[in-house]
Amino acid sequence: MINKIKYSLLLLCTLAFFAGCQDDNEGSVTIDAMVAEPGDLLNQAYPLNKVRVEGTSLTGLKKITLDNKIDVAFNPNYNSDKSFIFTVPFDEKLGSRFGIQPITFVTKNGTITKNIEILQPTPTITNTVPAVATPGYPLEVVGTWFYNVSSVTLSGSAVSFSANSPTSIIVALPANAVSGSELVVTTPGGTVSITIEFATVVIVSDFDGGGVRESWVSYGDVASFNAATPGGPTGNYAALTWAGSTTNGYNGTSGGGGASFLSPTNNDATRTFIDIDVSANVVGAQFAIQLNTIDGVNYGYNFKVTDVNWSTKTITLADFKDNYGFGSNTAATLDASKVNEIKVGIAQGDTPNPSTIKYDNIKIRYN
């Protein structure tokens, strides 16, 4: 009996010894620090940072889960008893977010959860669309990390914006914006700025007393013309009616000539645009836009109204053609700085009778 007791005690001691040895070899999992590279942030990291985890009993890493829902990839070859490395993921579709959140590590020796703070990176701007902005028109700002945008300013003044995505913001540019203005985007991650270059915009006439051509007259087979008709898109507008007369074979209106609209350096027809708000009494009414005679050539551009509601028509100068718009030679090589008069009429050979065209806010723009 005494021998049996001795044997039992010896067995228990042996089991206790082996258990103690196993604890010494494996032990409980501990994490002392999570260090982001580069920068040596402690228990903090930016998306796509590599993080070095330091502790004990870290061998046999099986799984990493961020914020209780996102599986984190890692290379098991960079795993020792004292450390391992992983890269911080960021994917909105998986629910990635900024701020303090749990991260759980599963090893062969056990599971441990710590908190890590995912920091929002400073935003960047890569380009704008279009590259040359136009005052009063929307501008797309393209970049990265446009999360939680708090403000967009231009020359220090707040402007309206819409954050389409983390890589795109649509900004509403004021009509009085000038080249060289600094646009600043602010997020919780920081600010980023870009200098905006604006197109040259000359208001030819707004028919409210503004623009470089204020007094308009009509000519040719015009039934009626009123350059101060109330109720336009921004106030008064011009209304021209043709009722079928062919006495002259043409008609039109003009604010007259004078100094060129653009400077001598703004001479590329492919970068020059005419913007005009248009409407009509009937679908099919045909506008005839003409320039002053340049180098003995009469350039024009004709188009039919497809919707009687007001809309903005934009025409590049390079799309104008000779012979009042009915020729085959384009104005693509025209010196745009020579344009000093824009005429608006009705192409009466192919338009309903009667036709009343309405127009407003004529501008010439150089991008």
Side-chain angles (χ1 to χ4, degrees):
M1 183 66 178
I2 293 176
N3 287 337
K4 287 183 178 181
I5 293 173
K6 286 181 179 180
Y7 177 81
S8 297
L9 289 174
L10 180 61
L11 180 61
L12 288 173
C13 290
T14 302
L15 291 173
F17 172 80
F18 281 110
C21 291
Q22 186 176 15
D23 286 343
D24 287 341
N25 289 334
E26 296 184 352
S28 59
V29 180
T30 63
I31 291 179
D32 301 322
M34 293 178 287
V35 183
E37 299 175 348
D40 291 336
L41 292 171
L42 183 61
N43 302 328
Q44 295 177 314
Y46 287 99
L48 309 183
N49 269 169
K50 291 187 182 299
V51 177
R52 184 177 73 257
V53 179
E54 301 173 351
T56 58
S57 299
L58 301 179
T59 53
L61 182 63
K62 298 179 179 179
K63 187 176 183 180
I64 304 175
T65 305
L66 179 62
D67 207 16
N68 299 317
K69 57 191 173 187
I70 301 172
D71 290 334
V72 180
F74 61 92
N75 188 338
N77 294 323
Y78 296 97
N79 178 204
S80 71
D81 189 62
K82 300 294 185 181
S83 67
F84 56 81
I85 296 173
F86 70 90
T87 300
V88 177
F90 200 90
D91 187 337
E92 275 189 302
K93 295 178 182 178
L94 298 178
S96 292
R97 64 184 179 90
F98 303 112
I100 298 174
Q101 49 204 274
I103 185 165
T104 300
F105 307 99
V106 179
T107 76
K108 74 172 185 178
N109 299 317
T111 300
I112 187 169
T113 298
K114 292 286 187 177
N115 282 335
I116 187 170
E117 183 177 9
I118 306 303
L119 303 173
Q120 180 167 341
T122 302
T124 68
I125 295 176
T126 56
N127 62 286
T128 64
V129 181
V132 179
T134 300
Y137 283 74
L139 177 72
E140 181 183 11
V141 181
V142 180
T144 62
W145 302 112
F146 293 150
Y147 290 92
N148 310 308
V149 178
S150 57
S151 70
V152 178
T153 62
L154 186 70
S155 294
S157 298
V159 294
S160 300
F161 67 92
S162 173
N164 276 4
S165 72
T167 60
S168 172
I169 302 173
I170 304 299
V171 178
L173 297 173
N176 61 351
V178 296
S179 283
S181 299
E182 184 181 44
L183 186 141
V184 179
V185 176
T186 300
T187 74
T191 63
V192 63
S193 65
I194 186 173
T195 300
I196 305 296
E197 297 300 328
F198 287 93
T200 298
V201 179
V202 177
I203 299 175
V204 177
S205 183
D206 62 10
F207 299 101
D208 296 309
V212 296
R213 301 291 186 268
E214 296 182 19
S215 299
W216 282 67
V217 297
S218 63
Y219 55 87
D221 299 324
V222 174
S224 65
F225 175 65
N226 184 358
T229 308
T234 57
N236 293 334
Y237 65 92
L240 166 65
T241 299
W242 174 73
S245 173
T246 58
T247 301
N248 296 285
Y250 60 86
N251 67 76
T253 64
S254 171
S260 296
F261 298 125
L262 300 173
S263 69
T265 57
N266 298 154
N267 54 16
D268 188 343
T270 64
R271 298 174 59 186
T272 306
F273 300 85
I274 293 175
D275 300 317
I276 178 171
D277 293 339
V278 299
S279 178
N281 68 318
V282 61
V283 170
Q286 185 165 205
F287 274 76
I289 311 295
Q290 296 174 11
L291 309 177
N292 56 295
T293 301
I294 301 175
D295 298 334
V297 181
N298 296 302
Y299 291 103
Y301 182 91
N302 307 306
F303 66 93
K304 292 183 178 181
V305 171
T306 58
D307 188 336
V308 297
N309 296 312
W310 283 101
S311 62
T312 300
K313 179 71 174 179
T314 295
I315 313 161
T316 175
L317 212 62
D319 285 341
F320 278 67
K321 294 182 179 180
D322 63 356
N323 192 24
Y324 303 99
F326 295 100
S328 57
N329 298 312
T330 71
T333 59
L334 176 70
D335 183 347
S337 69
K338 292 184 177 182
V339 177
N340 71 347
E341 183 182 12
I342 296 174
K343 308 170 187 178
V344 182
I346 296 174
Q348 56 195 51
D350 184 19
T351 198
N353 178 17
S355 283
T356 298
I357 60 172
K358 308 171 185 179
Y359 44 101
D360 197 3
N361 300 319
I362 303 174
K363 302 172 185 175
I364 188 164
R365 172 168 50 93
Y366 192 86
N367 280 4

